[in-house]
Structure formats: C-alpha cells, structure tokens
Amino acid sequence: MGDLVPGVERIAVLRANALGDFIFVLPALDALRAAYPKAEIVLLGAPWHANLLRDRPGPVDRVLVVPPAPGIRVAGPGEADGRVDDFLAEARAERFDLALQLHGGGANSNPLVTGVGARVTAGLRAEDAPPLDHWIRYVYYQHEVLRYLEVVALVGAGATTLVPTFAVTDADRVEARAVLGDPDRPRVALHPGASDTRRRWPAHRFAEVARDLTGQGYDVLITGTPAERDVVERVVTEADAPVRPLIGALSLGALAACYADCAVVVSNDTGPLHLAAAVGTPTVGVYWVGNLINSGSLVRARHRPIVSWTVHCPVCGVDCTRGLYPHREGTGDCPHRDSFVADVPVAEVLEAARELLP
C-alpha cells in the first residue's frame, strides 16, 4: 500500500458511468473517507449522481457534473453536449489536492483526470492510456470492487469493507410508500431488464418465477426502466398472476427503498441487482460467467449468483472470449446480441430464492 498524501483537503474522483458501476466503487470511496476524514470528496459524475446523492449520507460530499465526452459518458435525454475545456477550467479552480481515476482503462479518462490539475493523480492504466502519478495496470477480468480498492490503496487508503452499502433516506421511503402502499404481506421484486440483451434471462422464465412466488403468497413486483417496458410487460402477461409492474415509477432513491423492503430481489446482472444488495436485501442474480468474475457478490450469506457457463454465441458459435485472449482460434467477431444466460434453469433460481426467503 502507498503512503498517504500530505495536506489533502479536497479529492476529485472520476466515476461517471452507470448505476452498478457506482455501487462497485462505494468501498473505495469508504476507504478514502476513512484515510482522509477531513477532506472533501467530490465525485466527478453524471447528472443522475447529483440527483441521487444530494442530501444523502455517504462518503461523497458533492458531485461535479462531467460533460458528455467520448469514453467518459454519453449525453442523457435532452442533454446538450458539454464543453470539456470549460469543465476542466472549473475543476482547476477547485484546486484539488488529489484526483483519482476510478473510471476504466484510462485512454480517455486519464487525460481528463490530469487536466483537473491536482497535486497528485492516481488510477488505472491500460496499454493505450497515458500514465498518472501513481497507477496500476488495468486488466479486464478483475472484480470491480477489488480493482478500485487497489487504486485508492496507492494513496494510502486501505480497505475498510469489501461490501458496498448505500443509505436509504426517509424521503426515499415516503416516495416508495406513496407509490406502493404499505405492505400487507412479504414482497419480492424481479428485474428482468438489462441494457445488454446478452445478460437477459428470458422473460418467460422470469414469468415462471413470478407465478411460483405469487402462488406462495408473496406480493411480486416487476421493476424496470421505461426502456425496459416491453420485457416487463412480457413477464406480466406470461406470468398470468397478480403481479405488479413498476416501470419508471420510482426515482433511484425510492427504488432503493422499495428493494430494502423486499424479502428477496431476483434480477439479471444489472444496476438494480447491485443496488438491492447495497441496501442489504438478499439477492438472486443471473450471471454470465465472465460478468460473475467482475461483478458477482463477494459474499454468500445473503446473495446467490446463478451462473451460465456459455462462452460461444448461441447463434453463430463464435468464441466470444477471443477479444481478450487473441491466441485462441477464431476471430471473436460476433454481431449477435442473443442471451448468453438462457440456459440457466428456473429450478436453480427458485431453489436459491427459497433458501433466502423467510
């Protein structure tokens, strides 16, 4: 582990991607807070980070919104392209003592972190990325939580936990209760969406799980974003049971409160699964084996990852690991986005859920 940087009053942390990505970096942020208890920690993030973290207990004191830029983040709906030069001028005026790249390989993010103008920089570095003052090699297959703990250790911040935790506020609970009402029986939530369709367990299998748990007397919620409306509606239709769809009905904070009140959450490997785990809810996650390496829960007392070992495209048979292992046969090029987890049996998911349910 590296030494603490002296005289640190303000720390910038670049992490401007999706919900699950933010959950994975929470233990690293906790380590920074413990190592630099008097420093202000400023997340260089997206607008949704600013909305979610405002007035929320946790290691982040403030969010400075990074403009959309290649390799940093894409523009949200209705969001105009920003000017990176203007952002960097604003960031330099903050006079950061320490700037950390907890964002990825660094080809685009390391120049941005360097441009912040901090006294000391640290982060990850892939082969095509410029160096920072302190860096470790970015290797794709490494658990995300451990990856970022290694980075903050470069500046003397030792791990205080391996388990991400996310605070639910009273305002979150009020909003969730206004939409869901007070529970009259135990609730479970299923999340059948994922931005990458290769991570999606088939909707009809989620429907089987929903039907089974409804039959056991649980209040079953089917959560999804507006972009996932089609898959949520398929699950509801095929379940042919009194389940409740929740499509974009809750803010992220209220969704956290919703999951916190559930007996278990069953989901694909996507942000809501990791949010549910971070608020302390037992989870059953359906994972492709490669994603399990990077994002599966590190503990098993309350979490059950169910794994598909498929590595060849179910449509064309191409070995989709070759992009990372170029000495293997074949090209690795595959345009298909069919599910890589469709072979996971319903029985395994239900068995795991029953183990975790009260």
Side-chain angles (χ1 to χ4, degrees):
M1 188 167 72
D3 295 329
L4 288 170
V5 177
V8 171
E9 296 180 358
R10 187 169 293 116
I11 303 171
V13 177
L14 176 63
R15 187 66 166 170
N17 28 29
L19 174 61
D21 301 305
F22 175 69
I23 298 298
F24 298 143
V25 84
L26 285 170
L29 293 171
D30 288 335
L32 283 172
R33 169 56 64 223
Y36 298 94
K38 296 182 180 180
E40 181 186 31
I41 297 177
V42 180
L43 180 71
L44 309 184
W48 73 263
H49 291 106
N51 292 330
L52 180 65
L53 300 180
R54 187 177 295 113
D55 299 323
R56 185 176 303 277
V60 174
D61 295 302
R62 181 163 55 92
V63 176
L64 191 61
V65 173
V66 182
I72 304 299
R73 71 175 186 88
V74 298
E79 185 181 13
D81 289 341
R83 292 179 58 86
V84 174
D85 289 344
D86 291 344
F87 167 78
L88 289 177
E90 179 185 358
R92 284 193 291 270
E94 298 257 1
R95 301 181 66 85
F96 288 106
D97 300 292
L98 182 59
L100 299 175
Q101 191 273 95
L102 304 185
H103 193 76
N108 300 104
S109 50
N110 283 3
L112 187 141
V113 166
T114 299
V116 165
R119 286 195 291 118
V120 177
T121 61
L124 296 155
R125 184 190 182 192
E127 292 183 1
D128 61 346
L132 300 168
D133 295 327
H134 305 280
W135 58 271
I136 56 174
R137 179 65 69 195
Y138 176 88
V139 179
Y140 182 77
Y141 279 127
Q142 179 183 13
H143 197 283
E144 294 288 290
V145 168
L146 302 180
R147 187 195 309 280
Y148 300 111
L149 283 172
E150 276 203 283
V151 172
V152 297
L154 294 173
V155 293
T160 58
T161 181
L162 298 177
V163 179
T165 56
F166 183 81
V168 176
T169 68
D170 290 341
D172 297 332
R173 296 184 183 95
V174 168
E175 181 188 342
R177 192 176 301 116
V179 173
L180 298 171
D182 292 319
D184 58 0
R185 53 200 162 116
R187 285 176 177 157
V188 299
L190 312 185
H191 190 90
S195 57
D196 186 343
T197 54
R198 294 171 297 179
R199 297 186 185 190
R200 289 188 181 183
W201 200 41
H204 69 88
R205 298 199 171 176
F206 273 104
E208 288 184 58
V209 173
R211 189 162 51 248
D212 183 280
L213 294 177
T214 301
Q216 294 183 50
Y218 291 96
D219 180 14
V220 177
L221 312 175
I222 315 296
T223 61
T225 66
E228 296 164 342
R229 178 177 296 277
D230 286 349
V231 68
V232 171
E233 291 179 345
R234 286 202 303 274
V235 173
V236 171
T237 299
E238 295 189 32
D240 192 26
V243 300
R244 292 201 281 169
L246 286 175
I247 304 171
L250 301 170
S251 69
L252 277 177
L255 183 65
C258 166
Y259 288 155
D261 281 342
C262 288
V264 72
V265 170
V266 180
S267 174
N268 297 314
D269 169 28
T270 188
L273 174 69
H274 308 299
L275 178 64
V279 298
T281 300
T283 66
V284 179
V286 178
Y287 287 86
W288 177 64
V289 60
N291 297 134
L292 178 70
I293 295 170
N294 283 40
S295 61
S297 172
L298 292 169
V299 295
R300 293 292 173 270
R302 296 167 65 83
H303 306 292
R304 299 288 190 277
I306 310 299
V307 187
S308 169
W309 298 88
T310 299
V311 295
H312 293 86
C313 172
V315 178
C316 66
V318 162
D319 181 349
C320 290
T321 66
R322 192 186 178 279
L324 294 172
Y325 299 104
H327 298 295
R328 300 185 184 188
E329 295 181 1
T331 64
D333 295 329
C334 172
H336 304 111
R337 289 298 179 265
D338 294 58
S339 174
F340 268 59
V341 296
D343 60 326
V344 169
V346 171
E348 289 184 14
V349 172
L350 280 173
E351 183 179 78
R354 288 168 185 150
E355 283 185 10
L356 296 169
L357 286 166

